[in-house]
Amino acid sequence: MTIREQMELRETEYLSPFAALSKESKGRECMEEECDIRPVYQRDRDRILHCKSFRRLKQKTQVFLLPKGDHYRTRMTHTLEVSQNARTVAKALRLNEDLVEAIALGHDLGHTPFGHAGERALNAVCPLGFKHNEQSVRVVERLEKQGEGLNLTWEVRDGILNHKTSGIPHTLEGQIVRLSDKIAYINHDIDDAIRGGILKEDDIPAEYRKILGTTTRMRLNTMIHDVITNSMDQPEIRMSFEIQNAVMGLRRFLFEHVYENPAAKGEESKAINMITNLYEYYIKHLELLPEQFIKMMKEGACEEQVVCDYIAGMTDTYAVKKFEEYFVPESWKF
């Protein structure tokens, strides 16, 4: 019996009846030989962790565009916080931690530079539309490894696709990531907003502070404990009615006072303008795309989709660099 088979047997003996077992995965798009050490979801987690799209997350905006300070979240630190929240819940519920971690690490791989501002820009300018969750799946299926993709299991791709509020993941592990994403960004965006002087703790409505707690640590503790308590031995991942209402109320508060606050988002129009101009420029100059993307078009890929693929994969700094290259005269550059 291989180490992988021993680990798969351990899953059947220990994990909850509601867990997604590695040996029962629906599999990959392309058949491949099993690893003798790692079950399939652990293998997927490793593939995501080592891919270039994951490394680029460190230079992609979470909420604040180029903040003055080293301690604001980036898309990568957000991803790591989602992963940690999700693993905590999965461990407590005896669900598959490897699957949870793979989904969490991969859920934002398709995010644009400049956060949701970049996403809105591509969605507006591209006739095909643009959604970062769908792009994340495209990254792991078609773009990584010079077009080969990562050949991940169906369950991981399903969790990535359905991590947004409107999604319905088919596994409890996917449901954990979907909820952990919100728990992470609600709490770390409050923390960053306070650090940036946009919010004070006392600005948060008293009704939410009374229910959820008066610090980031307390709120995280309340939310995660509530998820575990209400999901234990249940066929779905959920919060209590009281906590869920408070969480959604706090989320609405953040939209009004942080996500749409001119102090936090005042530079967004510039970011949107950059992404829009880059898209229109590349549509007119397809020959400037890297060879991988030109090859995709030669093989029949839609030009608009390929341009979106390239721009969405850029980091904030690389997008600024390309914008300056195409639109700023050399004599004006510093």
Side-chain angles (χ1 to χ4, degrees):
M1 183 180 290
T2 65
I3 294 173
R4 170 184 55 78
E5 289 170 332
Q6 292 176 34
M7 295 175 73
E8 290 172 347
L9 178 60
R10 197 177 307 151
E11 286 183 1
T12 64
E13 294 172 341
Y14 174 73
L15 293 185
S16 162
F18 301 111
L21 300 179
S22 299
K23 70 175 186 177
E24 294 179 359
S25 169
K26 293 183 179 181
R28 310 179 186 280
E29 283 191 328
C30 299
M31 292 288 293
E32 55 182 75
E33 185 178 348
E34 294 277 17
C35 178
D36 62 333
I37 297 175
R38 298 167 297 167
V40 289
Y41 302 137
Q42 183 182 348
R43 203 175 185 188
D44 283 359
R45 186 276 312 272
D46 294 349
R47 290 179 181 184
I48 292 169
L49 191 64
H50 288 93
C51 78
K52 290 190 292 186
S53 298
F54 181 79
R55 294 196 292 276
R56 290 198 297 269
L57 295 177
K58 67 182 178 181
Q59 291 185 349
K60 291 193 177 191
T61 292
Q62 174 59 26
V63 172
F64 294 88
L65 291 169
L66 298 176
K68 296 179 180 178
D70 295 331
H71 301 123
Y72 292 87
R73 271 68 171 193
T74 64
R75 189 62 58 179
M76 177 174 280
T77 56
H78 160 73
T79 293
L80 295 176
E81 291 184 36
V82 173
S83 177
Q84 186 55 54
N85 291 342
R87 285 195 59 182
T88 298
V89 174
K91 184 186 286 287
L93 298 179
R94 292 185 297 117
L95 297 175
N96 198 313
E97 288 184 64
D98 288 335
L99 175 55
V100 156
E101 189 171 20
I103 296 169
L105 293 179
H107 82 282
D108 271 354
L109 291 179
H111 237 301
T112 60
F114 312 122
H116 288 284
E119 180 175 18
R120 289 196 299 273
L122 281 183
N123 187 53
V125 74
C126 177
L128 303 174
F130 183 90
K131 296 180 180 178
H132 80 270
N133 59 316
E134 295 176 359
Q135 187 68 16
S136 294
V137 175
R138 184 166 170 79
V139 166
V140 300
E141 288 184 345
R142 302 288 177 259
L143 300 179
E144 267 295 332
K145 295 181 68 176
Q146 295 297 307
E148 292 181 18
L150 301 180
N151 197 28
L152 304 182
T153 56
W154 181 89
E155 291 79 8
V156 172
R157 288 180 284 125
D158 172 76
I160 291 173
L161 178 65
N162 290 298
H163 78 268
K164 292 177 66 176
T165 301
S166 57
I168 306 176
H170 289 78
T171 64
L172 295 195
E173 288 80 1
Q175 292 180 31
I176 287 175
V177 174
R178 178 176 172 270
L179 196 49
S180 295
D181 185 30
K182 294 174 184 60
I183 291 173
Y185 73 66
I186 286 171
N187 284 287
H188 65 50
D189 290 352
I190 290 174
D191 188 45
D192 280 354
I194 291 173
R195 178 175 290 106
I198 293 169
L199 279 183
K200 298 188 296 294
E201 178 64 41
D202 290 344
D203 293 332
I204 300 172
E207 59 185 303
Y208 306 140
R209 299 177 73 217
K210 180 179 179 181
I211 295 171
L212 300 174
T214 55
T215 66
T216 297
R217 179 180 178 181
M218 291 173 66
R219 285 186 284 269
L220 275 169
N221 190 60
T222 298
M223 292 179 194
I224 290 174
H225 272 80
D226 188 75
V227 172
I228 292 169
T229 300
N230 287 277
S231 305
M232 186 68 71
D233 299 321
Q234 298 295 321
E236 65 175 322
I237 304 302
R238 60 194 182 192
M239 286 180 163
S240 65
F241 181 77
E242 179 186 37
I243 298 299
Q244 180 172 331
N245 276 353
V247 168
M248 297 312 292
L250 188 54
R251 183 172 179 266
R252 289 191 295 271
F253 170 80
L254 282 174
F255 269 93
E256 182 178 351
H257 293 86
V258 176
Y259 303 143
E260 298 171 1
N261 187 314
K265 313 304 268 183
E267 300 289 290
E268 275 198 354
S269 61
K270 298 177 184 178
I272 290 171
N273 183 60
M274 273 196 287
I275 295 296
T276 301
N277 279 280
L278 283 173
Y279 176 88
E280 292 173 345
Y281 190 82
Y282 282 121
I283 285 292
K284 295 176 182 177
H285 300 88
L286 295 170
E287 72 280 0
L288 295 176
L289 295 173
E291 182 58 36
Q292 174 189 348
F293 298 94
I294 292 175
K295 180 182 176 184
M296 289 168 60
M297 289 186 291
K298 289 179 178 177
E299 293 173 349
C302 172
E303 295 176 357
E304 292 84 358
Q305 179 64 67
V306 172
V307 171
C308 274
D309 289 339
Y310 182 47
I311 294 175
M314 293 179 176
T315 61
D316 294 10
T317 50
Y318 188 73
V320 171
K321 176 184 174 182
K322 300 310 286 186
F323 181 84
E324 289 182 341
E325 180 180 334
Y326 299 137
F327 296 103
V328 179
E330 284 293 331
S331 60
W332 293 0
K333 295 178 184 177
F334 294 99

PDB file of all heavy atoms in Angstrom, residues 25 41 114 134 203 225 227 298:
ATOM      1  N   SER A  25     -12.969  11.620  -5.741  1.00  0.00           N
ATOM      2  CA  SER A  25     -12.995  12.790  -6.620  1.00  0.00           C
ATOM      3  C   SER A  25     -13.537  12.420  -7.996  1.00  0.00           C
ATOM      4  O   SER A  25     -13.333  11.304  -8.489  1.00  0.00           O
ATOM      5  CB  SER A  25     -11.582  13.356  -6.772  1.00  0.00           C
ATOM      6  OG  SER A  25     -11.521  14.318  -7.809  1.00  0.00           O
ATOM      7  N   TYR A  41      -6.230  16.120  -3.846  1.00  0.00           N
ATOM      8  CA  TYR A  41      -6.453  17.517  -3.460  1.00  0.00           C
ATOM      9  C   TYR A  41      -5.175  18.149  -2.911  1.00  0.00           C
ATOM     10  O   TYR A  41      -4.932  19.343  -3.115  1.00  0.00           O
ATOM     11  CB  TYR A  41      -7.582  17.629  -2.432  1.00  0.00           C
ATOM     12  CG  TYR A  41      -8.894  17.062  -2.911  1.00  0.00           C
ATOM     13  CD1 TYR A  41      -9.695  16.282  -2.069  1.00  0.00           C
ATOM     14  CD2 TYR A  41      -9.347  17.295  -4.204  1.00  0.00           C
ATOM     15  CE1 TYR A  41     -10.909  15.761  -2.505  1.00  0.00           C
ATOM     16  CE2 TYR A  41     -10.549  16.766  -4.656  1.00  0.00           C
ATOM     17  CZ  TYR A  41     -11.321  15.999  -3.796  1.00  0.00           C
ATOM     18  OH  TYR A  41     -12.516  15.477  -4.233  1.00  0.00           O
ATOM     19  N   PHE A 114      -5.308  46.155  -9.749  1.00  0.00           N
ATOM     20  CA  PHE A 114      -6.134  47.223  -9.172  1.00  0.00           C
ATOM     21  C   PHE A 114      -7.471  46.710  -8.631  1.00  0.00           C
ATOM     22  O   PHE A 114      -8.465  47.437  -8.592  1.00  0.00           O
ATOM     23  CB  PHE A 114      -6.369  48.354 -10.184  1.00  0.00           C
ATOM     24  CG  PHE A 114      -5.120  48.811 -10.863  1.00  0.00           C
ATOM     25  CD1 PHE A 114      -5.009  48.759 -12.250  1.00  0.00           C
ATOM     26  CD2 PHE A 114      -4.032  49.279 -10.140  1.00  0.00           C
ATOM     27  CE1 PHE A 114      -3.856  49.168 -12.902  1.00  0.00           C
ATOM     28  CE2 PHE A 114      -2.864  49.689 -10.782  1.00  0.00           C
ATOM     29  CZ  PHE A 114      -2.778  49.630 -12.161  1.00  0.00           C
ATOM     30  N   GLU A 134     -14.699  33.373 -12.849  1.00  0.00           N
ATOM     31  CA  GLU A 134     -14.602  32.604 -14.093  1.00  0.00           C
ATOM     32  C   GLU A 134     -13.188  32.668 -14.649  1.00  0.00           C
ATOM     33  O   GLU A 134     -12.677  31.673 -15.195  1.00  0.00           O
ATOM     34  CB  GLU A 134     -15.610  33.140 -15.113  1.00  0.00           C
ATOM     35  CG  GLU A 134     -17.064  32.937 -14.688  1.00  0.00           C
ATOM     36  CD  GLU A 134     -18.055  33.556 -15.666  1.00  0.00           C
ATOM     37  OE1 GLU A 134     -17.588  34.153 -16.669  1.00  0.00           O
ATOM     38  OE2 GLU A 134     -19.267  33.437 -15.439  1.00  0.00           O
ATOM     39  N   ASP A 203     -16.727  54.097  14.764  1.00  0.00           N
ATOM     40  CA  ASP A 203     -17.603  54.394  13.627  1.00  0.00           C
ATOM     41  C   ASP A 203     -18.484  53.200  13.257  1.00  0.00           C
ATOM     42  O   ASP A 203     -19.540  53.369  12.641  1.00  0.00           O
ATOM     43  CB  ASP A 203     -16.783  54.792  12.399  1.00  0.00           C
ATOM     44  CG  ASP A 203     -16.067  56.116  12.584  1.00  0.00           C
ATOM     45  OD1 ASP A 203     -16.578  56.959  13.349  1.00  0.00           O
ATOM     46  OD2 ASP A 203     -15.006  56.307  11.969  1.00  0.00           O
ATOM     47  N   HIS A 225     -16.378  30.748  15.160  1.00  0.00           N
ATOM     48  CA  HIS A 225     -17.046  29.859  16.118  1.00  0.00           C
ATOM     49  C   HIS A 225     -18.500  29.617  15.729  1.00  0.00           C
ATOM     50  O   HIS A 225     -19.015  28.497  15.857  1.00  0.00           O
ATOM     51  CB  HIS A 225     -16.983  30.453  17.538  1.00  0.00           C
ATOM     52  CG  HIS A 225     -15.750  30.073  18.298  1.00  0.00           C
ATOM     53  ND1 HIS A 225     -14.550  30.694  18.112  1.00  0.00           N
ATOM     54  CD2 HIS A 225     -15.537  29.104  19.227  1.00  0.00           C
ATOM     55  CE1 HIS A 225     -13.633  30.160  18.904  1.00  0.00           C
ATOM     56  NE2 HIS A 225     -14.212  29.183  19.588  1.00  0.00           N
ATOM     57  N   VAL A 227     -19.855  29.689  12.706  1.00  0.00           N
ATOM     58  CA  VAL A 227     -19.909  28.791  11.550  1.00  0.00           C
ATOM     59  C   VAL A 227     -19.722  27.348  11.998  1.00  0.00           C
ATOM     60  O   VAL A 227     -20.476  26.438  11.607  1.00  0.00           O
ATOM     61  CB  VAL A 227     -18.844  29.161  10.504  1.00  0.00           C
ATOM     62  CG1 VAL A 227     -18.780  28.095   9.400  1.00  0.00           C
ATOM     63  CG2 VAL A 227     -19.140  30.525   9.897  1.00  0.00           C
ATOM     64  N   LYS A 298      -4.023  32.046 -32.850  1.00  0.00           N
ATOM     65  CA  LYS A 298      -3.807  31.242 -34.055  1.00  0.00           C
ATOM     66  C   LYS A 298      -4.567  29.915 -33.975  1.00  0.00           C
ATOM     67  O   LYS A 298      -4.968  29.354 -34.999  1.00  0.00           O
ATOM     68  CB  LYS A 298      -2.319  30.976 -34.254  1.00  0.00           C
ATOM     69  CG  LYS A 298      -1.527  32.207 -34.683  1.00  0.00           C
ATOM     70  CD  LYS A 298      -0.050  31.875 -34.835  1.00  0.00           C
ATOM     71  CE  LYS A 298       0.733  33.094 -35.301  1.00  0.00           C
ATOM     72  NZ  LYS A 298       2.197  32.819 -35.396  1.00  0.00           N
TER      73      LYS A 298
END
